[in-house]
Amino acid sequence: MAKHEPECMPCRGTGQVVSNLGGESRKVACPWCQGTGVRTSGVDAQEAWVEGGGAATGSAGAPAEGDG
């Protein structure tokens, strides 16, 4: 019997989430499941965002507190 893979909770199994970064709403591939709709164990989408330099801004691209 095939193992049932857990549905990705952030995207509800659709493989897409709505991003408001840049001031415009748009659908993007879910960073937790890479668009598959199935949650991949060991994936930390926020860790990848921080490593990519995203931590320098607050919500909606505004400068984080204390950035000038």
Side-chain angles (χ1 to χ4, degrees):
M1 182 162 69
K3 180 181 175 186
H4 176 67
E5 298 294 331
E7 179 180 273
C8 180
M9 296 300 287
C11 70
R12 298 183 183 145
T14 65
Q16 293 187 330
V17 294
V18 176
S19 172
N20 290 314
L21 291 176
E24 188 175 315
S25 293
R26 59 191 168 99
K27 289 186 177 182
V28 297
C30 177
W32 285 272
C33 68
Q34 288 79 39
T36 66
V38 177
R39 186 70 183 261
T40 306
S41 65
V43 172
D44 184 350
Q46 294 173 333
E47 178 183 29
W49 181 75
V50 170
E51 288 175 359
T57 59
S59 62
E65 209 172 317
D67 279 354

Coordinates of all heavy atoms in Angstrom, one line a residue:
M1 N 0.8 -1.2 0.0 CA 0.0 0.0 0.0 C 0.9 1.2 0.0 O 1.9 1.3 0.7 CB -0.9 0.0 1.2 CG -1.8 1.2 1.3 SD -3.3 1.0 2.4 CE -2.5 1.0 4.0
A2 N 0.5 2.3 -0.8 CA 1.3 3.5 -0.9 C 1.2 4.3 0.3 O 0.1 4.4 0.9 CB 0.9 4.3 -2.2
K3 N 2.2 5.0 0.7 CA 2.2 5.9 1.9 C 1.5 7.2 1.5 O 1.8 7.7 0.4 CB 3.6 6.1 2.3 CG 3.7 7.1 3.5 CD 5.2 7.3 3.9 CE 5.3 8.3 5.0 NZ 6.7 8.7 5.2
H4 N 0.6 7.6 2.3 CA -0.2 8.9 2.1 C 0.7 10.0 2.5 O 1.1 10.2 3.6 CB -1.5 8.9 2.9 CG -2.2 10.2 2.7 ND1 -2.8 10.6 1.5 CD2 -2.5 11.2 3.6 CE1 -3.3 11.7 1.7 NE2 -3.2 12.1 2.9
E5 N 1.0 10.9 1.5 CA 1.9 12.1 1.8 C 1.0 13.2 2.4 O -0.1 13.4 2.0 CB 2.5 12.6 0.5 CG 3.4 11.6 -0.2 CD 4.7 11.3 0.6 OE1 5.1 12.2 1.3 OE2 5.2 10.2 0.5
P6 N 1.5 13.9 3.4 CA 0.8 14.9 4.0 C 0.6 16.2 3.1 O 1.5 16.6 2.4 CB 1.6 15.3 5.2 CG 3.0 14.9 4.8 CD 2.9 13.7 3.9
E7 N -0.6 16.7 3.1 CA -0.9 17.9 2.3 C -0.2 19.1 2.9 O 0.0 19.2 4.1 CB -2.4 18.1 2.4 CG -2.9 19.4 1.6 CD -4.4 19.6 1.8 OE1 -5.1 19.0 1.0 OE2 -4.8 20.3 2.7
C8 N 0.3 19.9 2.0 CA 1.0 21.1 2.5 C 0.0 22.1 3.1 O -0.9 22.5 2.4 CB 1.8 21.7 1.3 SG 2.7 23.2 1.7
M9 N 0.2 22.4 4.4 CA -0.7 23.2 5.1 C -0.7 24.7 4.6 O -1.7 25.3 4.4 CB -0.5 23.2 6.6 CG -0.8 21.8 7.1 SD -2.5 21.2 6.9 CE -3.3 22.3 8.0
P10 N 0.5 25.3 4.4 CA 0.5 26.7 4.0 C -0.3 27.0 2.7 O -0.9 28.0 2.6 CB 2.0 27.0 3.8 CG 2.7 26.1 4.7 CD 1.9 24.8 4.6
C11 N -0.2 26.1 1.7 CA -0.9 26.3 0.5 C -2.2 25.5 0.3 O -2.9 25.5 -0.7 CB 0.0 26.0 -0.7 SG 0.4 24.3 -1.0
R12 N -2.5 24.7 1.4 CA -3.7 23.8 1.4 C -3.7 22.8 0.2 O -4.7 22.5 -0.3 CB -5.0 24.6 1.4 CG -5.1 25.5 2.6 CD -6.4 26.2 2.6 NE -6.4 27.1 3.8 CZ -7.0 28.3 3.8 NH1 -7.6 28.7 2.8 NH2 -7.0 29.0 4.9
G13 N -2.5 22.4 -0.2 CA -2.4 21.4 -1.2 C -2.5 21.9 -2.6 O -2.4 21.1 -3.6
T14 N -2.6 23.2 -2.8 CA -2.7 23.8 -4.2 C -1.4 24.0 -4.9 O -1.3 24.1 -6.1 CB -3.4 25.2 -4.1 OG1 -2.6 26.1 -3.4 CG2 -4.8 25.1 -3.5
G15 N -0.3 24.1 -4.1 CA 1.0 24.4 -4.7 C 1.3 25.8 -4.9 O 2.4 26.2 -5.4
Q16 N 0.3 26.7 -4.6 CA 0.5 28.1 -4.8 C 0.1 28.9 -3.5 O -0.9 28.5 -2.8 CB -0.3 28.7 -6.0 CG 0.1 28.1 -7.3 CD -0.6 28.8 -8.4 OE1 -1.7 29.2 -8.3 NE2 0.1 28.9 -9.6
V17 N 0.8 30.0 -3.3 CA 0.4 31.0 -2.2 C 0.4 32.4 -2.8 O 0.9 32.6 -3.9 CB 1.4 30.9 -1.0 CG1 1.4 29.6 -0.3 CG2 2.8 31.2 -1.5
V18 N -0.3 33.3 -2.1 CA -0.4 34.7 -2.6 C 0.8 35.5 -1.9 O 0.9 35.5 -0.7 CB -1.7 35.3 -2.3 CG1 -1.8 36.8 -2.7 CG2 -2.8 34.5 -3.0
S19 N 1.6 36.1 -2.8 CA 2.6 37.0 -2.3 C 2.2 38.4 -2.5 O 1.7 38.8 -3.5 CB 3.9 36.7 -3.1 OG 4.9 37.6 -2.7
N20 N 2.5 39.2 -1.4 CA 2.2 40.7 -1.5 C 3.5 41.5 -1.5 O 3.5 42.7 -1.4 CB 1.4 41.1 -0.3 CG 0.0 40.6 -0.4 OD1 -0.7 40.7 -1.5 ND2 -0.6 40.1 0.7
L21 N 4.7 40.8 -1.7 CA 5.9 41.5 -1.8 C 6.0 42.4 -3.0 O 5.5 42.0 -4.1 CB 7.1 40.5 -1.8 CG 7.3 39.7 -0.5 CD1 8.4 38.7 -0.7 CD2 7.6 40.6 0.6
G22 N 6.5 43.5 -2.9 CA 6.6 44.5 -4.0 C 5.3 45.3 -4.1 O 5.2 46.1 -5.1
G23 N 4.4 45.2 -3.2 CA 3.2 46.0 -3.2 C 2.1 45.5 -4.1 O 1.1 46.1 -4.3
E24 N 2.3 44.3 -4.7 CA 1.3 43.8 -5.7 C 1.0 42.3 -5.4 O 1.9 41.6 -5.2 CB 1.8 44.0 -7.1 CG 0.9 43.6 -8.2 CD 1.5 43.9 -9.6 OE1 2.1 45.0 -9.7 OE2 1.3 43.0 -10.4
S25 N -0.3 42.0 -5.2 CA -0.6 40.6 -5.0 C -0.4 39.7 -6.2 O -0.8 40.1 -7.3 CB -2.1 40.5 -4.5 OG -2.3 41.1 -3.3
R26 N 0.2 38.6 -6.0 CA 0.4 37.6 -7.2 C 0.5 36.2 -6.6 O 1.0 36.1 -5.5 CB 1.5 38.0 -8.0 CG 2.8 38.1 -7.3 CD 3.9 38.7 -8.2 NE 5.1 39.0 -7.5 CZ 6.2 38.3 -7.4 NH1 6.3 37.2 -8.1 NH2 7.2 38.6 -6.7
K27 N 0.1 35.2 -7.4 CA 0.3 33.9 -7.0 C 1.7 33.4 -7.3 O 2.2 33.7 -8.4 CB -0.7 33.0 -7.7 CG -2.1 33.2 -7.1 CD -3.0 32.2 -7.7 CE -4.4 32.3 -7.1 NZ -5.4 31.3 -7.6
V28 N 2.4 32.7 -6.4 CA 3.7 32.2 -6.6 C 3.7 30.7 -6.1 O 2.9 30.3 -5.4 CB 4.8 33.0 -5.8 CG1 4.8 34.4 -6.4 CG2 4.5 33.0 -4.4
A29 N 4.7 30.0 -6.6 CA 4.9 28.6 -6.1 C 5.1 28.6 -4.6 O 5.9 29.4 -4.1 CB 6.0 27.9 -6.8
C30 N 4.5 27.7 -3.9 CA 4.6 27.6 -2.5 C 6.1 27.3 -2.1 O 6.6 26.3 -2.6 CB 3.7 26.5 -1.9 SG 3.8 26.3 -0.2
P31 N 6.7 28.1 -1.3 CA 8.1 27.8 -0.9 C 8.3 26.6 0.0 O 9.4 26.1 0.2 CB 8.6 29.1 -0.2 CG 7.3 29.7 0.3 CD 6.2 29.3 -0.7
W32 N 7.2 26.1 0.7 CA 7.3 25.0 1.6 C 7.2 23.7 0.8 O 7.8 22.7 1.3 CB 6.2 25.1 2.6 CG 6.5 26.1 3.7 CD1 7.2 25.9 4.8 CD2 6.1 27.4 3.7 NE1 7.2 27.1 5.6 CE2 6.6 28.0 4.9 CE3 5.3 28.2 2.8 CZ2 6.3 29.4 5.2 CZ3 5.1 29.5 3.1 CH2 5.6 30.1 4.3
C33 N 6.5 23.6 -0.3 CA 6.4 22.4 -1.0 C 6.9 22.5 -2.5 O 6.8 21.5 -3.2 CB 4.9 21.9 -1.1 SG 3.8 22.9 -2.0
Q34 N 7.5 23.6 -2.8 CA 8.0 23.9 -4.2 C 6.9 23.7 -5.3 O 7.2 23.2 -6.4 CB 9.3 23.0 -4.5 CG 10.5 23.5 -3.7 CD 10.5 23.0 -2.3 OE1 10.1 21.9 -2.0 NE2 10.9 23.9 -1.4
G35 N 5.7 24.0 -4.9 CA 4.6 23.9 -5.9 C 4.0 22.5 -6.1 O 3.1 22.3 -6.9
T36 N 4.4 21.5 -5.3 CA 3.9 20.2 -5.4 C 2.5 19.9 -4.7 O 1.8 19.0 -5.0 CB 4.9 19.1 -4.9 OG1 5.0 19.3 -3.5 CG2 6.2 19.2 -5.6
G37 N 2.3 20.7 -3.7 CA 1.1 20.5 -2.9 C 1.3 19.5 -1.8 O 0.4 19.3 -1.0
V38 N 2.4 18.9 -1.7 CA 2.8 17.9 -0.7 C 3.9 18.4 0.1 O 5.0 18.7 -0.4 CB 3.1 16.5 -1.3 CG1 3.5 15.5 -0.3 CG2 2.0 16.0 -2.1
R39 N 3.8 18.5 1.4 CA 4.8 19.1 2.3 C 6.0 18.2 2.3 O 6.0 17.0 2.5 CB 4.2 19.2 3.7 CG 5.2 19.9 4.7 CD 5.3 21.3 4.4 NE 6.2 22.0 5.3 CZ 5.9 22.7 6.3 NH1 4.6 22.8 6.7 NH2 6.8 23.3 7.0
T40 N 7.2 18.8 2.1 CA 8.4 18.1 2.1 C 9.1 18.2 3.4 O 9.3 19.3 3.9 CB 9.4 18.7 1.0 OG1 8.7 18.7 -0.3 CG2 10.7 17.9 0.9
S41 N 9.4 17.1 4.1 CA 10.0 17.2 5.4 C 11.4 17.8 5.3 O 12.1 17.6 4.4 CB 10.1 15.8 6.1 OG 10.9 15.0 5.3
G42 N 11.7 18.6 6.3 CA 13.0 19.2 6.4 C 13.2 20.5 5.6 O 14.2 21.2 5.6
V43 N 12.1 21.0 4.9 CA 12.2 22.3 4.2 C 11.7 23.4 5.1 O 10.7 23.3 5.7 CB 11.2 22.2 3.0 CG1 11.2 23.6 2.3 CG2 11.8 21.2 2.0
D44 N 12.6 24.4 5.3 CA 12.3 25.6 6.1 C 12.3 26.8 5.1 O 13.3 27.3 4.8 CB 13.3 25.8 7.2 CG 12.9 27.0 8.1 OD1 12.0 27.7 7.7 OD2 13.6 27.1 9.1
A45 N 11.1 27.1 4.6 CA 11.0 28.2 3.6 C 11.5 29.5 4.1 O 12.1 30.3 3.4 CB 9.6 28.4 3.1
Q46 N 11.3 29.8 5.4 CA 11.8 31.0 6.0 C 13.3 31.1 6.1 O 13.9 32.2 6.0 CB 11.1 31.2 7.4 CG 9.6 31.5 7.2 CD 8.9 31.5 8.5 OE1 9.4 30.9 9.5 NE2 7.8 32.2 8.6
E47 N 13.9 30.0 6.3 CA 15.4 29.9 6.4 C 16.0 30.3 5.1 O 16.9 31.1 5.0 CB 15.9 28.5 6.8 CG 17.4 28.4 6.9 CD 17.8 27.0 7.2 OE1 17.1 26.0 6.8 OE2 18.9 26.9 7.8
A48 N 15.4 29.8 4.0 CA 15.9 30.2 2.7 C 15.7 31.7 2.4 O 16.6 32.3 1.8 CB 15.2 29.3 1.6
W49 N 14.6 32.2 2.9 CA 14.4 33.7 2.7 C 15.4 34.5 3.4 O 16.0 35.5 2.9 CB 13.0 34.0 3.1 CG 12.6 35.4 3.0 CD1 12.2 36.0 1.8 CD2 12.5 36.4 4.0 NE1 11.9 37.3 2.1 CE2 12.0 37.6 3.4 CE3 12.7 36.4 5.4 CZ2 11.8 38.7 4.1 CZ3 12.5 37.5 6.1 CH2 12.1 38.7 5.5
V50 N 15.7 34.1 4.7 CA 16.7 34.9 5.5 C 18.1 34.8 4.8 O 18.8 35.7 4.7 CB 16.7 34.3 6.9 CG1 17.9 34.9 7.7 CG2 15.4 34.7 7.6
E51 N 18.5 33.6 4.4 CA 19.8 33.4 3.7 C 19.9 34.2 2.4 O 21.0 34.6 2.1 CB 20.0 31.9 3.4 CG 20.3 31.1 4.7 CD 20.4 29.6 4.4 OE1 20.2 29.2 3.2 OE2 20.6 28.8 5.4
G52 N 18.8 34.4 1.8 CA 18.8 35.2 0.5 C 18.8 36.7 0.8 O 18.7 37.5 -0.2
G53 N 18.8 37.1 2.0 CA 18.9 38.6 2.3 C 17.5 39.2 2.6 O 17.4 40.4 2.8
G54 N 16.5 38.4 2.7 CA 15.2 38.9 2.9 C 15.0 39.5 4.3 O 14.1 40.2 4.6
A55 N 15.9 39.1 5.2 CA 15.7 39.6 6.6 C 16.0 41.1 6.7 O 15.7 41.7 7.8 CB 16.7 38.8 7.5
A56 N 16.5 41.7 5.7 CA 16.9 43.2 5.8 C 15.6 44.0 5.7 O 15.7 45.2 6.0 CB 17.9 43.5 4.7
T57 N 14.5 43.5 5.3 CA 13.3 44.2 5.2 C 12.2 43.7 6.1 O 12.2 42.5 6.4 CB 12.7 44.3 3.8 OG1 12.5 42.9 3.4 CG2 13.7 44.9 2.8
G58 N 11.3 44.5 6.5 CA 10.1 44.1 7.3 C 9.0 43.7 6.4 O 9.2 43.4 5.2
S59 N 7.8 43.7 6.9 CA 6.7 43.2 6.1 C 6.4 44.2 5.0 O 6.7 45.4 5.1 CB 5.4 43.1 7.0 OG 5.1 44.4 7.5
A60 N 6.0 43.7 3.9 CA 5.7 44.4 2.6 C 6.9 45.2 2.1 O 6.7 46.2 1.4 CB 4.5 45.4 2.9
G61 N 8.1 44.7 2.4 CA 9.3 45.3 1.9 C 9.7 46.6 2.6 O 10.6 47.3 2.1
A62 N 9.1 47.0 3.7 CA 9.5 48.2 4.4 C 10.7 47.9 5.1 O 11.0 46.7 5.5 CB 8.3 48.5 5.4
P63 N 11.6 48.9 5.3 CA 12.8 48.7 6.1 C 12.5 48.1 7.5 O 11.5 48.6 8.1 CB 13.5 50.1 6.2 CG 12.8 50.8 5.0 CD 11.5 50.2 4.9
A64 N 13.3 47.2 7.9 CA 13.1 46.7 9.3 C 13.5 47.7 10.3 O 14.2 48.7 10.0 CB 14.1 45.5 9.5
E65 N 12.9 47.6 11.5 CA 13.1 48.5 12.6 C 14.6 48.7 12.8 O 15.3 47.7 12.9 CB 12.4 48.0 13.8 CG 12.0 49.1 14.7 CD 11.1 48.6 15.9 OE1 10.2 47.7 15.6 OE2 11.3 49.0 17.0
G66 N 15.1 49.9 13.0 CA 16.5 50.2 13.2 C 17.3 50.2 12.0 O 18.5 50.4 12.1
D67 N 16.7 50.2 10.8 CA 17.5 50.3 9.6 C 17.7 51.7 9.0 O 17.9 51.9 7.9 CB 16.9 49.4 8.4 CG 17.2 47.9 8.6 OD1 18.0 47.6 9.5 OD2 16.7 47.1 7.8
G68 N 17.6 52.7 9.9 CA 17.9 54.0 9.4 C 16.8 54.9 9.7 O 16.2 55.8 9.5

